[in-house]
Amino acid sequence: MERRTVVYDAESGDDHERQGTVWTATSHIVAAVVGSGVLALAWTVAQLGWVVGPLVLLGFSCVTYYTSALLADCYRYPDPVEGAVNREYIDAVRCYLGRKSVVLCGCAQYVNLWGTLVGYTITASTSMIAVKRVNCFHRNGGAGAGGDCDPSGSTYMVVFGLFQLLLSQLPSLHNIAWLSVVAVATSFGYSFISLGLCAAKWASHGDVRGTLAGAAVDVPREKAFNVLLALGNIAFSYTFADVLIEIQDTLRAPPAENKTMKRASLYGLGMTTVFYLLLGCTGYAAFGNDAPGNILTGYAFYEPFWLVDIANICVIVHLIGAYQVFAQPIFARLESCVACRWPDAKFINATYYVRLPWPRSSPAAATTTVAVAPLKLVLRTILIMFTTLVAMLLPFFNAVLGLIGALGFWPLSVYFPVSMHVARLKIRRGEARWWLLQAMSFVCLLISVAASVGSVQDIVHNLKAAAPFKNSG
């Protein structure tokens, strides 16, 4: 007998049948993974060199896939196929590790999710600025031809935030599969364009630039911090564990959700790793140790201006979709906490229905009814406004991405998946498997701590560098 996948939707109060497939899950994963980090890959490889750079990219990819497979088995409890559903990451931690681990997991997950929103806001505004800068360079005859071609990013961050305010009223991940598909299409678009531009730059001089040890600086201390920052950028580029359970909750069964999710993780991470290696290595070969922090900002490429514009527009569209993939779990948790705290408040539980003339939900329906909840409108607006404000205060692309990746990689992508795997299989302390898993977790912890140090140092350096300009103004 076929087992239909029907779960309870806490937001609507109804059961819903999940319709996700391996391809929709793959699109969600690629939308979540391929984002801001891809634009910094040439700079990242430049800090690590020709030997260590590609090896670190492959290493992070393998670790991320392995731990995501462990996490996929924790979607149901206690059995990964027939057990009760855990609809969120924190629910899985509660079942397998107990309530003591819930607080740590909640802090790590939601801080990382929110930090990713900050990073996406910075990156989207950077691409918006790049569109204006590239067109300005084209009009003025080049980067050194004069003219004010460096607009402020604050206005563009506000514009991006307004787009997110509109999209944030969508109910959940079940309703935005189309948005992830668009995001994936655009991610392929700017990845291919960036790769083509780097390849053309490489072909123009014909030399394989760069060194085995990476970029050298006059002060060894700065070299060390740059390497640590590069590790944080790579960690950010591969992190998606904080939304893996939520993505898996969109899948139908049979086949079992954990099997489908493992295939989706393999496909998604495989595609992104190929892009990362191609773009990072080609960009390093093209620019060498002078590789820019963001490959599409307008200083690395500003001709053909229309192609660079298209690439940056693709970045913007992709991040609009990826933002919602990371934001929806935060929205759901906030609204659930408030509803549990004040269950009888009319404002919190009120829902109004607005009829829209498009799109038709069925051939027989002339309009679509959209539910509007005042609580959802207020909470999501406040969160997006606060996120935009923080992005405006810390508009440092590489440093912010590195810090987000460093803070979220070890606890979410390694520690909790490994700990739940040990608890699920009842692996005893001292066994060979236990030691191997703990050794992997400890190495990843050291990498995360080191990358955090490098990212914080870079943020402090950028703030000190910006201070004289603010004081003089």
PDB file of all heavy atoms in Angstrom, residues 226-244:
ATOM      1  N   ASN A 226      44.247  36.973   6.520  1.00  0.00           N
ATOM      2  CA  ASN A 226      43.603  36.785   5.218  1.00  0.00           C
ATOM      3  C   ASN A 226      43.286  35.314   4.953  1.00  0.00           C
ATOM      4  O   ASN A 226      42.238  34.983   4.391  1.00  0.00           O
ATOM      5  CB  ASN A 226      44.481  37.343   4.098  1.00  0.00           C
ATOM      6  CG  ASN A 226      44.486  38.855   4.052  1.00  0.00           C
ATOM      7  OD1 ASN A 226      43.601  39.502   4.610  1.00  0.00           O
ATOM      8  ND2 ASN A 226      45.480  39.424   3.403  1.00  0.00           N
ATOM      9  N   VAL A 227      44.191  34.424   5.352  1.00  0.00           N
ATOM     10  CA  VAL A 227      43.951  32.994   5.192  1.00  0.00           C
ATOM     11  C   VAL A 227      42.756  32.559   6.038  1.00  0.00           C
ATOM     12  O   VAL A 227      41.891  31.797   5.588  1.00  0.00           O
ATOM     13  CB  VAL A 227      45.207  32.183   5.565  1.00  0.00           C
ATOM     14  CG1 VAL A 227      44.888  30.697   5.666  1.00  0.00           C
ATOM     15  CG2 VAL A 227      46.311  32.415   4.544  1.00  0.00           C
ATOM     16  N   LEU A 228      42.701  33.049   7.277  1.00  0.00           N
ATOM     17  CA  LEU A 228      41.578  32.706   8.151  1.00  0.00           C
ATOM     18  C   LEU A 228      40.263  33.242   7.593  1.00  0.00           C
ATOM     19  O   LEU A 228      39.226  32.561   7.643  1.00  0.00           O
ATOM     20  CB  LEU A 228      41.823  33.262   9.555  1.00  0.00           C
ATOM     21  CG  LEU A 228      43.047  32.726  10.297  1.00  0.00           C
ATOM     22  CD1 LEU A 228      43.147  33.348  11.684  1.00  0.00           C
ATOM     23  CD2 LEU A 228      43.002  31.207  10.389  1.00  0.00           C
ATOM     24  N   LEU A 229      40.303  34.453   7.053  1.00  0.00           N
ATOM     25  CA  LEU A 229      39.102  35.034   6.456  1.00  0.00           C
ATOM     26  C   LEU A 229      38.660  34.216   5.243  1.00  0.00           C
ATOM     27  O   LEU A 229      37.458  34.010   5.023  1.00  0.00           O
ATOM     28  CB  LEU A 229      39.370  36.481   6.055  1.00  0.00           C
ATOM     29  CG  LEU A 229      38.207  37.261   5.431  1.00  0.00           C
ATOM     30  CD1 LEU A 229      36.998  37.273   6.351  1.00  0.00           C
ATOM     31  CD2 LEU A 229      38.638  38.680   5.103  1.00  0.00           C
ATOM     32  N   ALA A 230      39.624  33.728   4.466  1.00  0.00           N
ATOM     33  CA  ALA A 230      39.304  32.894   3.307  1.00  0.00           C
ATOM     34  C   ALA A 230      38.615  31.606   3.738  1.00  0.00           C
ATOM     35  O   ALA A 230      37.660  31.144   3.098  1.00  0.00           O
ATOM     36  CB  ALA A 230      40.574  32.584   2.518  1.00  0.00           C
ATOM     37  N   LEU A 231      39.065  31.013   4.829  1.00  0.00           N
ATOM     38  CA  LEU A 231      38.418  29.797   5.344  1.00  0.00           C
ATOM     39  C   LEU A 231      36.974  30.089   5.755  1.00  0.00           C
ATOM     40  O   LEU A 231      36.075  29.280   5.515  1.00  0.00           O
ATOM     41  CB  LEU A 231      39.201  29.254   6.546  1.00  0.00           C
ATOM     42  CG  LEU A 231      40.598  28.692   6.259  1.00  0.00           C
ATOM     43  CD1 LEU A 231      41.275  28.279   7.554  1.00  0.00           C
ATOM     44  CD2 LEU A 231      40.517  27.503   5.303  1.00  0.00           C
ATOM     45  N   GLY A 232      36.758  31.248   6.365  1.00  0.00           N
ATOM     46  CA  GLY A 232      35.394  31.624   6.732  1.00  0.00           C
ATOM     47  C   GLY A 232      34.513  31.809   5.517  1.00  0.00           C
ATOM     48  O   GLY A 232      33.342  31.418   5.514  1.00  0.00           O
ATOM     49  N   ASN A 233      35.057  32.396   4.455  1.00  0.00           N
ATOM     50  CA  ASN A 233      34.286  32.565   3.222  1.00  0.00           C
ATOM     51  C   ASN A 233      33.885  31.228   2.610  1.00  0.00           C
ATOM     52  O   ASN A 233      32.767  31.058   2.115  1.00  0.00           O
ATOM     53  CB  ASN A 233      35.093  33.375   2.199  1.00  0.00           C
ATOM     54  CG  ASN A 233      35.123  34.853   2.531  1.00  0.00           C
ATOM     55  OD1 ASN A 233      34.293  35.346   3.299  1.00  0.00           O
ATOM     56  ND2 ASN A 233      36.078  35.568   1.969  1.00  0.00           N
ATOM     57  N   ILE A 234      34.795  30.254   2.641  1.00  0.00           N
ATOM     58  CA  ILE A 234      34.475  28.934   2.104  1.00  0.00           C
ATOM     59  C   ILE A 234      33.421  28.254   2.970  1.00  0.00           C
ATOM     60  O   ILE A 234      32.489  27.615   2.455  1.00  0.00           O
ATOM     61  CB  ILE A 234      35.744  28.067   2.004  1.00  0.00           C
ATOM     62  CG1 ILE A 234      36.710  28.673   0.990  1.00  0.00           C
ATOM     63  CG2 ILE A 234      35.389  26.637   1.595  1.00  0.00           C
ATOM     64  CD1 ILE A 234      38.034  27.933   0.882  1.00  0.00           C
ATOM     65  N   ALA A 235      33.555  28.378   4.290  1.00  0.00           N
ATOM     66  CA  ALA A 235      32.549  27.797   5.181  1.00  0.00           C
ATOM     67  C   ALA A 235      31.173  28.386   4.897  1.00  0.00           C
ATOM     68  O   ALA A 235      30.165  27.674   4.855  1.00  0.00           O
ATOM     69  CB  ALA A 235      32.945  28.036   6.642  1.00  0.00           C
ATOM     70  N   PHE A 236      31.124  29.713   4.685  1.00  0.00           N
ATOM     71  CA  PHE A 236      29.853  30.353   4.362  1.00  0.00           C
ATOM     72  C   PHE A 236      29.300  29.824   3.040  1.00  0.00           C
ATOM     73  O   PHE A 236      28.089  29.643   2.884  1.00  0.00           O
ATOM     74  CB  PHE A 236      30.046  31.866   4.275  1.00  0.00           C
ATOM     75  CG  PHE A 236      28.801  32.612   3.855  1.00  0.00           C
ATOM     76  CD1 PHE A 236      27.829  32.925   4.792  1.00  0.00           C
ATOM     77  CD2 PHE A 236      28.599  32.979   2.541  1.00  0.00           C
ATOM     78  CE1 PHE A 236      26.677  33.602   4.411  1.00  0.00           C
ATOM     79  CE2 PHE A 236      27.464  33.645   2.152  1.00  0.00           C
ATOM     80  CZ  PHE A 236      26.491  33.961   3.099  1.00  0.00           C
ATOM     81  N   SER A 237      30.189  29.560   2.089  1.00  0.00           N
ATOM     82  CA  SER A 237      29.760  29.122   0.762  1.00  0.00           C
ATOM     83  C   SER A 237      29.098  27.755   0.772  1.00  0.00           C
ATOM     84  O   SER A 237      28.347  27.427  -0.146  1.00  0.00           O
ATOM     85  CB  SER A 237      30.966  29.094  -0.188  1.00  0.00           C
ATOM     86  OG  SER A 237      31.547  30.371  -0.313  1.00  0.00           O
ATOM     87  N   TYR A 238      29.375  26.945   1.805  1.00  0.00           N
ATOM     88  CA  TYR A 238      28.844  25.592   1.836  1.00  0.00           C
ATOM     89  C   TYR A 238      27.758  25.376   2.891  1.00  0.00           C
ATOM     90  O   TYR A 238      27.200  24.279   2.964  1.00  0.00           O
ATOM     91  CB  TYR A 238      29.973  24.589   2.085  1.00  0.00           C
ATOM     92  CG  TYR A 238      30.742  24.233   0.839  1.00  0.00           C
ATOM     93  CD1 TYR A 238      32.056  24.652   0.663  1.00  0.00           C
ATOM     94  CD2 TYR A 238      30.161  23.475  -0.162  1.00  0.00           C
ATOM     95  CE1 TYR A 238      32.766  24.316  -0.484  1.00  0.00           C
ATOM     96  CE2 TYR A 238      30.859  23.138  -1.318  1.00  0.00           C
ATOM     97  CZ  TYR A 238      32.159  23.567  -1.462  1.00  0.00           C
ATOM     98  OH  TYR A 238      32.844  23.245  -2.600  1.00  0.00           O
ATOM     99  N   THR A 239      27.467  26.352   3.696  1.00  0.00           N
ATOM    100  CA  THR A 239      26.534  26.147   4.800  1.00  0.00           C
ATOM    101  C   THR A 239      25.089  26.188   4.328  1.00  0.00           C
ATOM    102  O   THR A 239      24.649  27.164   3.736  1.00  0.00           O
ATOM    103  CB  THR A 239      26.751  27.215   5.886  1.00  0.00           C
ATOM    104  OG1 THR A 239      28.086  27.104   6.388  1.00  0.00           O
ATOM    105  CG2 THR A 239      25.776  27.026   7.034  1.00  0.00           C
ATOM    106  N   PHE A 240      24.357  25.098   4.567  1.00  0.00           N
ATOM    107  CA  PHE A 240      22.911  25.095   4.354  1.00  0.00           C
ATOM    108  C   PHE A 240      22.196  24.176   5.343  1.00  0.00           C
ATOM    109  O   PHE A 240      21.002  23.948   5.238  1.00  0.00           O
ATOM    110  CB  PHE A 240      22.574  24.691   2.913  1.00  0.00           C
ATOM    111  CG  PHE A 240      22.622  23.205   2.643  1.00  0.00           C
ATOM    112  CD1 PHE A 240      21.455  22.458   2.560  1.00  0.00           C
ATOM    113  CD2 PHE A 240      23.825  22.549   2.475  1.00  0.00           C
ATOM    114  CE1 PHE A 240      21.491  21.088   2.315  1.00  0.00           C
ATOM    115  CE2 PHE A 240      23.882  21.194   2.214  1.00  0.00           C
ATOM    116  CZ  PHE A 240      22.694  20.461   2.141  1.00  0.00           C
ATOM    117  N   ALA A 241      22.940  23.662   6.338  1.00  0.00           N
ATOM    118  CA  ALA A 241      22.353  22.738   7.300  1.00  0.00           C
ATOM    119  C   ALA A 241      21.212  23.366   8.081  1.00  0.00           C
ATOM    120  O   ALA A 241      20.268  22.678   8.483  1.00  0.00           O
ATOM    121  CB  ALA A 241      23.428  22.243   8.273  1.00  0.00           C
ATOM    122  N   ASP A 242      21.275  24.693   8.284  1.00  0.00           N
ATOM    123  CA  ASP A 242      20.249  25.338   9.090  1.00  0.00           C
ATOM    124  C   ASP A 242      18.883  25.364   8.414  1.00  0.00           C
ATOM    125  O   ASP A 242      17.885  25.660   9.062  1.00  0.00           O
ATOM    126  CB  ASP A 242      20.674  26.763   9.482  1.00  0.00           C
ATOM    127  CG  ASP A 242      21.321  27.509   8.345  1.00  0.00           C
ATOM    128  OD1 ASP A 242      21.345  26.977   7.225  1.00  0.00           O
ATOM    129  OD2 ASP A 242      21.796  28.633   8.576  1.00  0.00           O
ATOM    130  N   VAL A 243      18.818  25.054   7.118  1.00  0.00           N
ATOM    131  CA  VAL A 243      17.512  24.960   6.454  1.00  0.00           C
ATOM    132  C   VAL A 243      17.279  23.570   5.868  1.00  0.00           C
ATOM    133  O   VAL A 243      16.282  23.352   5.182  1.00  0.00           O
ATOM    134  CB  VAL A 243      17.381  26.024   5.330  1.00  0.00           C
ATOM    135  CG1 VAL A 243      17.331  27.415   5.911  1.00  0.00           C
ATOM    136  CG2 VAL A 243      18.491  25.890   4.305  1.00  0.00           C
ATOM    137  N   LEU A 244      18.180  22.614   6.139  1.00  0.00           N
ATOM    138  CA  LEU A 244      18.041  21.296   5.527  1.00  0.00           C
ATOM    139  C   LEU A 244      16.769  20.596   5.972  1.00  0.00           C
ATOM    140  O   LEU A 244      16.036  20.034   5.140  1.00  0.00           O
ATOM    141  CB  LEU A 244      19.268  20.438   5.868  1.00  0.00           C
ATOM    142  CG  LEU A 244      19.345  19.068   5.190  1.00  0.00           C
ATOM    143  CD1 LEU A 244      20.796  18.697   4.906  1.00  0.00           C
ATOM    144  CD2 LEU A 244      18.710  17.968   6.032  1.00  0.00           C
TER     145      LEU A 244
END
